[in-house]
Amino acid sequence: MAINCNMDSQTTPLNYSIETENLNLWYGDFQALIDVNVKIPDGQITSLIGPSGCGKSTLLRCFNRVNERYGNVTTEGKIEVLGKNIYDSDVSLPELRKTVGMVFQRPNPLPISVYENILFGLRIHSPVGHLTRAESDQIVEEALTSVFLWDDLKDRLKVRATSLQLEQQQKLCIARLLPLKPRVILMDEPCSALDAKGTLAVEELMEVLAGKYTFLIVTHNMAQARRVSKECIFMFLGELIEHRETQALFQTPQHPKTADYVQMRYG
Amino acid sequence: MNSLMTHPNPRQKFVLQGIALVILGAVFFPVWNVLKKTHVSDVPISSVARVPDPLSNLFNDLYFFLSISFLAILLGVTCAFYLQEWLPETNWVRRLVENQVSILSGIPSLLYGLLAVLIFLPYSGVIQKIETVSSDGNVGAASLKATVFQGDTTLFYAMLLTFVILVMPRVIKTTQAALRSVPMPIRESAYALGASRSQVLMKHVVPIAFPLILAGGCRAMSCAFATAALFIGVCIWSHAPQSGQMTGGFVLFLGGSLILSILSSFLIERYSPVPTRNT
């Protein structure tokens, strides 16, 4: 299988946030990822596309090891996040998940107030009573401001986060990652539950935040992949088929399967 | 990237688990001893002729029942947490226990009462005493009852065993259902923010599942109380139809059972997960 990895960019040598080496993953007997070698550049938006069940989400979930929770998962190979193999025995999962944040398909704020949602991550990572009231107010304001929610929600910080609009909930889910100062943000179809306006809002937000954080986004929406991402990865049946700059991948796909998919002959 | 390199210390974890075990032991053993002493050995053996105060006896029984049920419920809840949250679904121990639990919790509680009377009690040598007392005649139900509770320590174990078999499967089943009813996205988001399993449990899963766990406990206890009421009733009507002194116990247990079952249905009605908007 021709794995057409990496881009032909002539720019300065890129730093990679995530690198995998011969990553194989099984759910029981079913092999969901086959020899995936990928390098995700730092501080950019990279999108993962492919038909359903091709392993996009599985790959995404490997990077903060949340898929281990489902049981019956075997992983082989190497995943380096920020230069550290995350399957080493000295890696602490809470720290890994603090560094690699995740946004899910359906907005899943915790059933507590907006204010507490934003502080939840910070609270579990710092000793009890560590945060003063003033500090936490400031953190909440900063986080909400950077996702453009502060003006809407500043008077409603005490309402239950699950009662917000979906778009606001999804933005809140991004906002609550920010106080933890993650380096990488994984997004598993973050806009599939949102309408066009909400999608646009989340995309704009990603573009604004892209310089500070590395985004990896799984999407079924190819238009979205073209709009937001700088690089694009096409996967098919657990294998990484093509990884290039987005425009190049969509305009001159090198692998016939990629060509079929991006020209919507299936998928 | 330094923050990824913090060492989780397996030794620390081991020590913490050890401490937890010691605390559990330290809590359980005194409770166990107190129960054993207050209810079984330390009760002065009254002569058959003296009729003890029926009311104090009643509350003694109720207290005894409540403490045993509490122990059995605690045991069941712990067991359910371990099965549901720690063991993977494919684990053979979990599958075995879950199968047994579903079989045991399907058996009507009346049969457990029979089990207690026919199998556990004879081994504790109580039945003989009841018979001796009642064959003396003119003794009355209250002293009959007193004799039951002055049996040797094995009686305690017999009752505990009955309660454990009667209450535990029901509690395990309802607690597991309560834990399963906590929506997956809540756990997922907490884990993805880096919460450890105990943090997810303590901060989100337990507060959400607690009313339903409580309801399960109440329902199991109501079952046990109803069985107890039934047996007290049978005891009264077969041994001392005229006395009427034990009807207090019958009413107390029956009433307790009713109140508990009403409480549990209220909790279930009020707190079971309903499909809500946006979640």
Side-chain angles (χ1 to χ4, degrees):
Chain A
M1 178 56 70
I3 295 180
N4 230 330
C5 200
N6 257 317
M7 41 271 93
D8 346 283
S9 56
Q10 308 297 316
T11 50
T12 47
L14 285 164
N15 288 323
Y16 298 110
S17 299
I18 301 171
E19 290 180 55
T20 70
E21 219 170 88
N22 299 329
L23 177 65
N24 285 291
L25 184 140
W26 290 264
Y27 289 121
D29 296 333
F30 173 72
Q31 188 164 9
L33 293 178
I34 306 162
D35 277 333
V36 174
N37 291 286
V38 69
K39 290 180 175 178
I40 313 287
D42 211 3
Q44 288 186 9
I45 304 177
T46 306
S47 60
L48 274 163
I49 58 169
S52 299
C54 70
K56 309 179 294 281
S57 296
T58 303
L59 180 62
L60 194 78
R61 279 155 191 263
C62 283
F63 297 144
N64 66 353
R65 292 178 61 181
V66 280
N67 54 6
E68 281 170 28
R69 290 195 49 252
Y70 305 124
N72 215 7
V73 174
T74 325
T75 317
E76 265 179 19
K78 197 169 156 191
I79 304 175
E80 285 193 352
V81 174
L82 305 166
K84 172 82 187 155
N85 186 357
I86 59 170
Y87 283 94
D88 280 353
S89 57
D90 63 348
V91 167
S92 108
L93 279 183
E95 287 297 327
L96 171 67
R97 288 168 186 165
K98 190 175 155 189
T99 315
V100 184
M102 185 154 191
V103 176
F104 291 82
Q105 184 168 3
R106 285 196 70 80
N108 58 355
L110 296 161
I112 44 181
S113 71
V114 173
Y115 190 87
E116 287 301 317
N117 253 287
I118 297 206
L119 289 176
F120 177 75
L122 215 52
R123 289 216 168 133
I124 56 181
H125 289 288
S126 47
V128 180
H130 182 70
L131 287 171
T132 62
R133 181 78 200 187
E135 273 173 345
S136 35
D137 284 347
Q138 195 193 346
I139 288 164
V140 170
E141 179 171 350
E142 275 169 15
L144 285 177
T145 312
S146 47
V147 297
F148 313 116
L149 272 182
W150 178 249
D151 289 333
D152 292 344
L153 294 186
K154 63 183 171 199
D155 303 322
R156 291 199 286 153
L157 293 176
K158 296 291 170 212
V159 301
R160 215 168 231 261
T162 39
S163 65
L164 301 178
Q165 294 164 14
L166 278 181
E167 174 201 330
Q168 290 176 330
Q169 287 188 24
Q170 194 65 305
K171 281 180 169 176
L172 179 66
C173 289
I174 300 172
R176 72 179 172 189
L177 300 176
L178 305 182
L180 295 174
K181 303 197 169 46
R183 299 285 299 275
V184 180
I185 296 179
L186 309 172
M187 294 183 150
D188 194 349
E189 300 185 41
C191 300
S192 66
L194 307 181
D195 60 4
K197 184 172 150 282
T199 307
L200 190 70
V202 171
E203 283 174 8
E204 278 173 358
L205 174 62
M206 283 166 66
E207 274 163 30
V208 172
L209 296 176
K212 283 198 221 160
Y213 310 98
T214 305
F215 280 95
L216 186 58
I217 164 173
V218 164
T219 179
H220 269 123
N221 182 340
M222 276 185 275
Q224 183 179 44
R226 283 182 92 148
R227 279 197 302 269
V228 296
S229 64
K230 196 157 183 205
E231 284 179 18
C232 195
I233 298 168
F234 174 67
M235 292 186 71
F236 187 74
L237 295 179
E239 285 178 276
L240 190 146
I241 307 287
E242 202 163 336
H243 176 185
R244 298 166 69 203
E245 284 186 7
T246 308
Q247 292 311 322
L249 186 130
F250 278 97
Q251 278 158 13
T252 52
Q254 290 190 342
H255 197 282
K257 278 178 184 152
T258 319
D260 285 351
Y261 186 73
V262 297
Q263 286 154 20
M264 299 201 192
R265 290 195 197 118
Y266 69 93
Chain B
M1 183 54 225
N2 288 331
S3 70
L4 279 185
M5 315 253 274
T6 40
H7 291 240
N9 194 343
R11 195 176 298 157
Q12 207 177 358
K13 213 167 152 188
F14 188 72
V15 168
L16 278 178
Q17 282 170 348
I19 292 173
L21 266 182
V22 168
I23 292 174
L24 265 185
V27 169
F28 259 83
F29 276 97
V31 170
W32 188 264
N33 281 329
V34 165
L35 271 177
K36 249 165 59 175
K37 278 182 188 146
T38 5
H39 294 291
V40 188
S41 335
D42 277 5
V43 175
I45 310 271
S46 61
S47 65
V48 171
R50 209 187 103 229
V51 177
D53 175 19
L55 201 67
S56 77
N57 232 341
L58 266 182
F59 283 103
N60 214 15
D61 294 354
L62 197 68
Y63 175 60
F64 185 55
F65 257 73
L66 281 174
S67 25
I68 291 189
S69 330
F70 182 69
L71 268 183
I73 287 174
L74 207 64
L75 220 56
V77 169
T78 318
C79 202
F81 265 89
Y82 182 65
L83 288 179
Q84 186 67 27
E85 300 290 330
W86 266 265
L87 293 180
E89 262 173 58
T90 43
N91 185 292
W92 68 271
V93 176
R94 178 168 167 180
R95 277 185 310 182
L96 184 78
V97 174
E98 279 179 353
N99 285 340
Q100 298 310 309
V101 159
S102 58
I103 292 171
L104 285 176
S105 62
I107 297 174
S109 53
L110 177 65
L111 292 186
Y112 289 115
L114 281 177
L115 187 78
V117 170
L118 298 179
I119 299 171
F120 294 149
L121 282 188
Y123 279 107
S124 63
V126 174
I127 285 288
Q128 286 81 356
K129 287 188 186 172
I130 295 177
E131 281 165 0
T132 3
V133 174
S134 42
S135 62
D136 283 350
N138 301 333
V139 181
S143 66
L144 165 86
K145 207 160 154 50
T147 328
V148 170
F149 281 93
Q150 284 151 17
D152 46 59
T153 40
T154 38
L155 175 65
F156 177 78
Y157 296 109
M159 291 200 66
L160 187 68
L161 205 58
T162 318
F163 253 75
V164 163
I165 298 178
L166 170 68
V167 171
M168 246 179 79
R170 287 155 208 266
V171 171
I172 290 178
K173 213 174 168 185
T174 45
T175 308
Q176 273 194 304
L179 291 176
R180 266 197 297 268
S181 77
V182 176
M184 199 58 194
I186 291 176
R187 292 163 188 262
E188 258 181 347
S189 61
Y191 277 118
L193 283 168
S196 63
R197 177 156 37 197
S198 52
Q199 283 169 329
V200 175
L201 275 183
M202 293 317 292
K203 295 194 178 190
H204 293 286
V205 175
V206 172
I208 294 172
F210 184 74
L212 292 182
I213 295 176
L214 194 66
C218 286
R219 211 164 59 181
M221 258 168 84
S222 127
C223 238
F225 271 44
T227 316
L230 187 75
F231 276 86
I232 293 176
V234 168
C235 200
I236 300 166
W237 293 314
S238 60
H239 285 95
Q242 280 92 35
S243 137
Q245 275 169 315
M246 268 176 82
T247 26
F250 177 71
V251 169
L252 199 65
F253 279 107
L254 198 64
S257 154
L258 274 177
I259 290 170
L260 283 170
S261 76
I262 290 169
L263 180 65
S264 92
S265 28
F266 167 74
L267 284 171
I268 289 170
E269 176 69 30
R270 170 78 181 73
Y271 290 102
S272 2
V274 278
T276 48
R277 193 172 61 95
N278 293 351
T279 44

